[in-house]
Each structure stands twice: as structure tokens, then as C-alpha cells.
Amino acid sequence: VTAQGRATVFLCGPRAGGNSDTAGLAFAAGLERAGLDPLVIRLREHEVEPCRGCGACAAGPGHRCPLEGDEAEGLFTSLAAAPVAAFASPIYFYHLPARFKAFIDRSQRHYERRLARQAAGAPLPPPRQAHALLVAGRREGRQLFTGALLTLRYFLWPFFLKLAEDPCLLRGRDAPGDLAADAQAVAAIVARGEAAGERG
Ligand SMILES: Cc1cc2nc3c(=O)[nH]c(=O)nc-3n(C[C@H](O)[C@H](O)[C@H](O)COP(=O)(O)O)c2cc1C
């Protein structure tokens, strides 16, 4: 892992121009204000095959994945090099949408690599910051974001990224323009991005 890559914002929703896009792009605008040049990745534009659980990646030394012909690994390269990363996603059925979850499952080879690296006593790099921006249509639901946040936390572990403790959790935004219509909420996300860029 190097820290020489670009700050990376993943737009993880299937709906182009939706609320999670608005959140992710506002965060990216904040990173720009902090002087960074963020890379914005629209996950829906990338081919990511779901993990088949074949177990090949558990075997060293390369922890190779037989599905490596698609685009997942290139996206992981950007993530591994990002000094700061953000994930903007809608909540689907109390969790993350299918392609994003497929992408997460494909990181299993990186999980295996980190386990092996630790077992070998290799030096570990310092953690970097990751930011969650999650949008839900419902206003209610105590556990609306619980599953998504847990998954993100463990997904990021192999990349030495630590989820910031104050995730941006937006409720009651359902129609595609709901967040964009709330200038105050958008400005708050830009400010979050700017602060993250200054810290990161
Ligand atoms: C398949 C599907 C499942 C959803 N599940 C939930 C849910 O469990 N809880 C919730 O509050 N909203 C749910 N929603 C609403 C979305 O979270 C909401 O519309 C959000 O603004 C979508 O983000 P986007 O505009 O970036 O697509 C669901 C929407 C879809 C299409």
C-alpha cells in the first residue's frame, strides 16, 4: 500500500444523479476546496463479478482471484493507494446495494493478504481515514445504517483504512432530487469533505 494515490470517492448507487451521487459529489467538491484532486469512481460503470467463494485466494503466495479479468482489482488499486477515501451509497433493504456488495465481497483476496502479512510479522502502514455517506428513504429505523456501517468497517480493514467515527447518515431522502434540494445539507457535506481533505 502506498499513500501516493489520489483521494478517492466511490459513488455506489445504481441511480445516476440520485441522492448518494449528490452526497459523494459534494464531498468531492469539499476535497477540492482543501486542495486535493479527487478521483470519483462510479461503481455502476464498472464490471464487477460476484465472488464465487472458491477459496483460491486463501492460498498464497499471490492470493490470486480467478475472476481478475474484470474491473474489481483496478478499483482496489485506487483504494489501496488513496490517502483518503469516501463511499456514498443508498441503503437498500437495510444494507448496501448489490453491485457495491459484490465489490466488497471481491476484496476477500485483500483480507487474505493482510492476514498473511500480519502472520509473517511484516510491518503495517499507519491507518488512513475513510468516510461513509449513507442515504436512506425512510425517516424511521433505529438500525437503518447498522449493517452497512459494520460491513464497511471490516471491508476497509485490509486496506488500512479506518472508518471515521462521525459518518454522514441522511434519512428521509427518497426521490432522486431530495438531497440536492436541501442546500444546507449539501453545504454541510462539502464542509465535511473539506475537513477530511485538510486532515487527510
Ligand atoms: C431496492 C431498494 C431498497 C430500498 N431499501 C430501503 C431501506 O431498507 N430503507 C430505507 O430507508 N430506504 C430504502 N430505499 C430507499 C433509498 O434508500 C432511497 O430512495 C435513496 O435516496 C436512494 O439513493 P439514490 O438516490 O442515490 O439512488 C430502498 C430503495 C430501493 C430501490
Side-chain angles (χ1 to χ4, degrees):
V1 176
T2 69
Q4 287 153 10
R6 289 165 71 188
T8 304
V9 178
F10 286 84
L11 306 184
C12 306
R15 181 159 74 172
N19 297 307
S20 54
D21 272 17
T22 301
L25 292 172
F27 195 87
L31 291 171
E32 277 175 15
R33 274 198 197 171
L36 303 186
D37 174 27
L39 173 67
V40 175
I41 292 173
R42 291 162 175 81
L43 215 45
R44 59 182 168 269
E45 294 175 359
H46 296 273
E47 188 203 336
V48 175
E49 289 287 320
C51 173
R52 296 176 189 163
C54 69
C57 66
H63 303 281
R64 300 279 295 266
C65 173
L67 301 176
E68 64 192 6
D70 71 7
E71 294 179 75
E73 205 45 48
L75 301 177
F76 289 134
T77 301
S78 299
L79 180 61
V84 53
F87 296 86
S89 179
I91 293 295
Y92 275 15
F93 284 93
Y94 276 77
H95 218 282
L96 301 167
R99 185 176 305 228
F100 188 17
K101 184 57 165 57
F103 178 59
I104 288 169
D105 291 349
R106 287 289 301 285
S107 71
Q108 181 67 8
R109 71 174 288 261
H110 294 273
Y111 173 79
E112 296 288 357
R113 280 177 70 188
R114 172 148 183 195
L115 284 183
R117 199 168 163 177
Q118 270 183 214
L124 303 176
R128 290 135 33 240
Q129 282 262 294
H131 301 268
L133 307 152
L134 302 175
V135 188
R138 294 184 70 217
R139 294 199 172 281
E140 310 77 27
R142 201 168 49 83
Q143 306 267 44
L144 206 45
F145 303 102
T146 306
L149 288 171
L150 257 184
T151 297
L152 284 173
R153 177 169 157 199
Y154 291 107
F155 159 56
L156 294 168
W157 179 78
F159 301 99
F160 305 97
L161 283 160
K162 197 169 182 306
L163 207 55
E165 270 161 29
D166 59 336
C168 177
L169 306 178
L170 299 159
R171 295 169 177 265
R173 324 279 169 154
D174 209 5
D178 280 356
L179 179 58
D182 184 345
Q184 213 176 337
V186 173
I189 299 169
V190 175
R192 273 177 181 270
E194 188 173 2
E198 281 164 1
R199 270 199 309 272

